[in-house]
Amino acid sequence: MPLLKVDRLKTHFFVGSPFRRQKTVIRAVDGVSFELERGETLALVGESGCGKTTAARSVLRLEEPTAGSAVFDLDGELVSIFDLDKESLRRWRRKAQMAFQDPFGSLNPRMNVADIVTEGLRIHRLCRPSAKWERAAELLESVGMDARHAALYPHEFSGGQRQRIGIARALALEPDLIAADEPVSALDVSAQAQVVNLMQDLQERMGLSYLFISHDLSVVRHIADRVAVMYLGKIVETGPKAELYENPVHPYTKALLSAVPSLDPSAGRSVLRLSGDAPSPANPPSGCAFHPRCPMAEASCANAPQTLVNIGGGRAVACHLVTGSEERSHSPRKETK
Ligand code: SF4
């Protein structure tokens, strides 16, 4: 049994004017299914607005899902996350934590670091006030910081250090799962590398599972075991990282990967350009939602909605041009840089 199994998750938002009866439905997440094993990192990737953050927040019950289910292995007991009563929800929250994108905005500037990292312990009554400094020192040392930092305030740290404090706070309750929402996107490249290495080191030591949300496929390449590519609220391709990076099959995945900068200037790169912006989830295109931007679209793509189909090797793709593990020949519009 995986640590987490999410099935057909939908999170829709209903927005509108108080003067109009009809509301607009924003289909932020629209039928997403995935599994996460213990000690594994699953990256949810895609452009801004594709629903990856909402999917993670829904799983952590920070957004109210509209439909679907999520089952979590809570110390050997399988619990349905969306049906938990108050007491079970409290117990489960200790096992599933979130690391946020903005390492400054997510830390209370009025609290010192000791109070920040031990806040969860205090809420769950797992730490006596007299033990606060000792526990804070342990947590800070576990993320490569000095115990003396416990008395300082968030503004006294660099972005990378603040993100480490955010991770220390997430670790305080000894979770099994951390959903990390763009945890390094606000950092410079060297701080990114340090935080990614820290997360991998903690995963090895503590057996953590990560739901890693990112639009940066270079970072995902370093940390993920498996990748799920999202477009307009749905997963369009998923599979083990190595295979997906080596041989992407969905046109959207191909376009995303072709835009990743290469460190090898001699490697000729073909960039698959997408036209236009992603459509609004309030008004998704008919059929395959990617068809207005897809360089391989056919007339039929506008008619038939696409569902994920297993193509072997732990991979699944939502594109009718992909059959089995083979692709039909396409003639994509390519430009060579
Ligand atoms: Fe492109 Fe058609 Fe495949 Fe959608 S179904 S990804 S539009 S080729």
Side-chain angles (χ1 to χ4, degrees), residues 250-251 288 290-291 294 296-298 301 306 318-321:
H250 193 282
C288 171
F290 186 52
H291 84 262
C294 180
M296 299 164 190
E298 298 175 342
C301 296
Q306 300 298 308
C319 171
H320 73 103
L321 292 182

